[in-house]
Each structure stands twice: as C-alpha cells, then as structure tokens.
Amino acid sequence: MVYESLGPEVYGLLIWCPKPAVICVNREVPEPKQRMVIAHEMGHVHLGHEFGSDQYVHVDRRWDRYRDCIAPGLSEQDMEANQFAGELVMPTKLLQEAVAKYGNAPLTEEHMQELAAKFDVSEQSMTIRLSRLGLI
Amino acid sequence: MREANLFYVTLGQRIRERREAASLTQAQLGGQLDPPVTRASIANVEAGKQRLLAHSLAQMAQLLHVPIDELVPPVLRPTTELVPAIERELRQKLDLKPAIVARLARAVQHVSTTHTDTPSDHAERPTRTKQR
C-alpha cells in the first residue's frame, strides 16, 4: 500500500508485479473515499481479475462521476470490484441491522448522514450501497 | 521455482473455470483425454499440484472449446526487466512527477523481491519458525 498524489482524474492504481500487487491510492482523495478505493483494488486482486498479459498497471479513474455503478464507462470488472468494496466496507448484515434501528419509516437525510459517518464512507457511497441492497 | 508454482496454480484455476463452464466433471474431462487422465489427476492439476503434459493441455483446450493461449498464463518477467517495464507503463498512462514514478518503482521492486508467497511457501514456514 502506498499513498501518492495522483491528480484529480485518478482514484487509485493497481500494479501487478505481476503478483502480489502494489495498491497506490490517491492521497488527495478524501479519506472515506480512500477506503473505498483500497477495497476496490483489493476486489480486483481477490476476484482474480486480469488486465491483459502485458499490462502491469491498472488505473482506476474517478467513477463517482457516474450516479451509480451501472455506468457505461465502467468495465464489468470495475463493477464487480465496486460490489466487493461495498460489501467489504459496508457489510450487508451490519447495514441491515443499522437501518432496522431506525424502524420502518423511510430513511431521512439525517439518517443517511449518520449511516455514512458510522461506516466512515461518503454519503454518496452509502446512498449507492443502500439502493443496491433495496433499503431505500 | 516459485514462479513456476504460480504458473501452474493459475493454469489450474483457468482449467477449472472452463471445465465448469462446459459443465464437465473432472472425471469426464480426464476420460476424454488420450491417454486418459484420472479424476484425481485432474483435481491435482486444477489445484496446481500436478503438471500437465503439453499435448494433454492442447487436447484439453480443444475439448473445452477455448484457444490454448487463454488457458496458459503469462510467464513472469524477472524483476530486472519488470521494474523498468512498469515504470514505462506508468509514464505512458499517467502524467506523474518523476519522483512519484521512482517511489512507485521502488515499491514494486520491494514487493517483487520480498513477497513471492505461494501456497507451498506457506507450508514450509512453520518448520523455519521452529528452527529459530
């Protein structure tokens, strides 16, 4: 794991040596997002993704430009890695339990902020995760 | 040697994926090879513990309807070639300061010379700890 300034366009890098991998996260990205980026890169490794036999550097450019993970600019592998990251950082069971504490009423903006803070993620990541799990 | 282990583990994983996609059992796949290979051998090949003959691999690719080069993993480059190749790729894909590229290259160098664990390496470790 290394932290570097990678500019405004990039979230993180995954470098295959070719195995195991060096994860480089953009230190300019807010910390909660860094955790998601790291989890995303770990997802690529854990899921055994391959990026062409002569490619050692996989660049993850900002995917928050898209409103959801289902964006045309994202490859299937990136979507899988996002799903992995979501489950790692915001596990289904823990999230369901946290949401259950609010009762059956629809979640408010404040609830979303609380949940995001509790799981130390951005509100955007939390919103995407909750909608994927059908909790909002 | 470690590189070879990784090669066969990866090869085995790919064979398993393709076999399952083709809905064949290990016994069925082994039985269709000439000479036939037992179910246990296919299991070992898929686990990277047994090394497949080249012509068995060629037959397997045919049976699984997959080009052979999709089964065969890339051969690892030695670190001396790998690090410059990664540096080139970093410069090509990203607009980074030279100092950052250099630090990343050092990280790569460090990882590729210290972490080349494979399952068999893990198996050796307890013995080494006892000797200490």
Side-chain angles (χ1 to χ4, degrees):
Chain A
M1 266 299 315
V2 284
Y3 295 84
E4 293 289 355
S5 296
L6 301 176
E9 291 293 317
V10 175
Y11 267 148
L13 307 176
L14 185 61
I15 307 175
W16 299 85
C17 314
K19 220 182 187 182
V22 171
I23 293 174
C24 177
V25 63
N26 192 347
R27 67 203 301 175
E28 293 155 4
V29 170
E31 222 168 281
K33 199 74 190 181
Q34 285 185 14
R35 282 157 30 82
M36 285 299 285
V37 174
I38 295 166
H40 175 99
E41 307 303 350
M42 284 166 68
H44 282 312
V45 177
H46 183 79
L47 299 165
H49 289 163
E50 291 175 21
F51 303 100
S53 60
D54 221 41
Q55 279 193 49
Y56 298 106
V57 182
H58 174 72
V59 182
D60 277 303
R61 300 188 187 272
R62 299 188 69 134
W63 60 76
D64 67 340
R65 301 253 161 109
Y66 310 106
R67 283 191 55 242
D68 192 51
C69 306
I70 317 153
L74 279 181
S75 71
E76 202 177 313
Q77 291 180 329
D78 283 319
M79 287 191 275
E80 276 179 25
N82 273 351
Q83 222 171 329
F84 176 93
E87 182 59 36
L88 188 67
V89 177
M90 298 166 271
T92 308
K93 191 166 169 275
L94 294 182
L95 200 50
Q96 280 169 343
E97 284 169 9
V99 170
K101 284 188 189 148
Y102 296 127
N104 284 327
L107 294 179
T108 64
E109 185 65 24
E110 269 171 45
H111 290 153
M112 301 289 262
Q113 284 170 5
E114 267 178 39
L115 286 171
K118 189 176 160 77
F119 287 86
D120 198 10
V121 294
S122 68
E123 274 180 64
Q124 187 196 26
S125 299
M126 182 51 76
T127 310
I128 292 172
R129 182 76 180 136
L130 287 169
S131 78
R132 294 219 129 207
L133 292 178
L135 294 171
I136 48 170
Chain B
M1 194 58 187
R2 283 168 171 178
E3 288 187 2
N5 284 341
L6 179 60
F7 178 94
Y8 283 101
V9 168
T10 310
L11 175 67
Q13 284 167 351
R14 291 181 180 188
I15 290 172
R16 180 182 202 119
E17 275 166 26
R18 294 301 185 139
R19 176 183 60 74
E20 287 174 348
S23 304
L24 286 174
T25 63
Q26 291 172 333
Q28 283 167 343
L29 178 60
Q32 288 182 51
L33 297 174
D34 182 24
V37 169
T38 62
R39 186 210 58 80
S41 279
I42 297 291
N44 283 332
V45 166
E46 288 182 353
K49 291 176 193 159
Q50 188 176 324
R51 295 175 179 192
L52 200 58
L53 291 173
H55 82 278
S56 300
L57 177 63
Q59 286 174 11
M60 219 180 244
Q62 208 170 48
L63 288 168
L64 297 173
H65 305 292
V66 46
I68 192 163
D69 62 339
E70 281 185 29
L71 291 179
V72 180
V75 191
L76 309 195
R77 289 198 203 178
T79 313
T80 44
E81 282 179 40
L82 186 67
V83 175
I86 289 174
E87 279 182 283
R88 266 199 304 280
E89 209 180 316
L90 282 168
R91 279 195 291 267
Q92 221 171 58
K93 291 187 170 173
L94 298 154
D95 186 21
L96 296 175
K97 291 187 185 128
I100 295 179
V101 174
R103 277 203 296 274
L104 286 171
R106 268 206 300 280
V108 167
Q109 173 95 43
H110 177 74
V111 167
S112 52
T113 48
T114 55
H115 287 279
T116 32
D117 282 358
T118 64
S120 63
D121 290 325
H122 286 295
E124 286 165 16
R125 204 164 280 156
T127 334
R128 256 183 254 151
T129 323
K130 268 183 216 161
Q131 285 168 349
R132 251 178 235 164

